[in-house]
Amino acid sequence: MRLASRLDDLGTETAFAVAAAAADWKARGNDVYPFHLGDLDFALAPHIVEAMDRAIADGRTGYCPGPGIPELRAALAEDIGSRRGTAYTPENVTVMTGGKPVITKFVQAVMNPGDEVLYPNPGFPIYESQIEYHGGVGKAYRYLPTDSGFAIDLDQVASLITDRTVAIIYNDLQNPISAESTDAEREAIAQLAVEHDLWVLSDEAYFEMRYEGESTSIATLPGMAERTVILYTFSKKFAMTGSRLGCAVAPPELGKVFGTMNTNDESCTTHYVQWAGIAALQGTQEPVREMLETLRGRRDTACEIVNGTPGMAVEVPKSTFYLFPDVTEAIEIVGARDLADFAQRALHETGVSFCTRNHFGRPQPGEDRRYIRFAYSGLSQERIREGLTGMRQWIEAAR
């Protein structure tokens, strides 16, 4: 029996492939430090759990409206709008089962087969996967290293736009590199979108996962409200990764399309989980603040050790829970053939498991530096220190 040929273009979230190798190594009796997967090891806040349990007890376990229950759509419109200094109504909000469906449904809604969509590389691998799976042409744009982190190559972005380009995916506070746009960079992307009449998917999964400063949404810039879809998720801010709850914030006409897609794909987002989402938005935010302080400590510990390791260097990020250190010289020190060999040897020699730059899109021509990604969201400060110190000692011994 034959399967559909388009399956050849369906990728995956590559961190899960790394997780399989780490699990296998652990199953052999080895200690593993899982820096590969951006999950959170924080318990769900009690008031969120109570709201979910109460909703189940009240019988909110059946079907509900495809675009989401009105109470959650209203709460999301208020919260997302107020935090971005703009106004949204429930008609702008379509509840979904996490952030990933927003990517898929955005691509399906705005792109025909053969159309071009620009996306960041390195970037979340599901962008590329969904563009190509649905018959589009993915055009990757790069980031350039600077003295303060990474910046979008705006000249390249402009050069990639053709009369077949319909959209650009933009991830401020970026996974995997933790880059945040300057005002000028954000405005430049907005200007290109307006000039070329492009849709924009603004992935704002980490909008509130920051340790200093304030986030700004590209959707609030002139000419952007009518062409921008915001990806919002409860997974990061509220540590609700397994609850699968998120939404798209979009112009109402596109929101109606998303609602119809929901009805076709899932019928609806789990009813009682939506009531937990309301409690997360409207209840105490102290657990969020406490989690961010804990993550800040983990970030500082990880950065201190990484920057004290021969052949490794990283800027201290102001947001997300990822580090993207340059390991070009470290690879040479240990005599690894390439990034994959470096990652495998690090796992077997130190137990430290991580993704590499190659897990976040195909490397582009001219890349001469080598990077890896550490996710510090699922390890205690003690485990971070233990694991990364072991990796530092391994590299020092090879020097």
Side-chain angles (χ1 to χ4, degrees), residues 144-159:
L144 301 173
T146 73
D147 291 339
S148 58
F150 293 89
I152 295 172
D153 187 341
L154 293 169
D155 290 337
Q156 186 199 33
V157 173
S159 73

Side-chain angles (χ1 to χ4, degrees), residues 313-325:
V314 68
E315 293 294 324
V316 179
K318 298 178 181 178
S319 62
T320 80
F321 38 69
Y322 305 112
L323 302 183
F324 199 68

Side-chain angles (χ1 to χ4, degrees), residues 136-196:
V137 178
K139 302 186 79 172
Y141 62 88
R142 63 176 165 251
Y143 286 77
L144 301 173
T146 73
D147 291 339
S148 58
F150 293 89
I152 295 172
D153 187 341
L154 293 169
D155 290 337
Q156 186 199 33
V157 173
S159 73
L160 291 173
I161 299 172
T162 73
D163 58 4
R164 295 292 298 169
T165 307
V166 297
I168 180 169
I169 297 175
Y170 171 67
N171 182 199
D172 208 349
L173 285 72
Q174 206 253 26
N175 174 20
I177 63 180
S178 294
E180 178 179 4
S181 286
T182 61
D183 290 343
E185 182 177 272
R186 193 177 300 109
E187 290 164 4
I189 294 293
Q191 183 178 353
L192 287 170
V194 171
E195 286 178 358
H196 297 277

